[in-house]
Each structure stands twice: as structure tokens, then as C-alpha cells.
Amino acid sequence: MKQKKEIRITLRLTPEQYETIVSKADTAQMSVSAYVRAAALRHRVVVVDGLREITHELKGIGRSLNQLTVLCNMGRIKEARLGDAWQVLSQIYLKLRELAEQERS
């Protein structure tokens, strides 16, 4: 459940400090507020290059699989051979899991 944020903190920064924070937040693909909260609360802010692209591709694969499922249920296609797709998705999953494990340690 999303918590309502009612308290505001105001701080002064030099233009250089502000640009640095904005740049880091952008690199982390976070809003400035979310980035500053994470940093201030001592959460590790981890940036995984290319993660947005990977998740975009995975969503596309998911949509395609859903379309195949609908076509199978409609009787328009009899079978879909997804062995190769399953292997590729398994490799992607293992790599993402490996990245997550590295960040925990």
C-alpha cells in the first residue's frame, strides 16, 4: 500500500549539487524525491545498466505468449513450439537472479 507523504523537507543546494543529484536520480531511473529519500534512509541505490530495455523486451515476449495462448484457445492454431523461447527466458531469468544476488552480498 502506498503511504501518503505529508511532511516536506526543504534544503538548500548549490546548482552543482542539484545537477549532480538530478543526474544520479536520472541514472537510477528514479524521481529526485525517491532518490533523495532512498539515499537519506541509507538504502543502497543500485543501477543496472540496460534493465529498462530488458524489462521492455520481456513484456513484449509476454504479450506475444498471451496472443499465442488466445489463438490456441480459439482453435486457430493447434500447437506452439516454445522450447527455444523457454530456454532463452530461462537464461534471462538466471542472469537477472545472478545480478540480484551480487547486489545482496
Side-chain angles (χ1 to χ4, degrees), residues 75-89:
R76 290 199 173 174
I77 58 175
K78 299 295 178 200
E79 68 179 81
R81 297 182 185 167
L82 301 174
D84 292 341
W86 182 257
Q87 286 181 340
V88 171
L89 287 171

Side-chain angles (χ1 to χ4, degrees), residues 14-36:
T14 65
E16 294 81 16
Q17 290 171 328
Y18 178 75
E19 289 303 319
T20 299
I21 291 171
V22 168
S23 175
K24 287 182 177 185
D26 187 51
T27 300
Q29 298 175 356
M30 299 170 76
S31 68
V32 172
S33 296
Y35 180 83
V36 170

Side-chain angles (χ1 to χ4, degrees), residues 16 18 20 22 28 33 39 42 44-45 48 58-61 80 105:
E16 294 81 16
Y18 178 75
T20 299
V22 168
S33 296
R42 300 188 193 274
R44 286 182 65 196
V45 177
V48 178
L58 287 173
K59 287 177 186 177
I61 292 168
S105 55

Side-chain angles (χ1 to χ4, degrees), residues 48-61 92 96 99:
V48 178
D49 289 330
L51 186 59
R52 179 173 281 186
E53 291 79 13
I54 290 171
T55 55
H56 178 75
E57 291 297 322
L58 287 173
K59 287 177 186 177
I61 292 168
I92 291 170
L96 289 173
L99 284 171

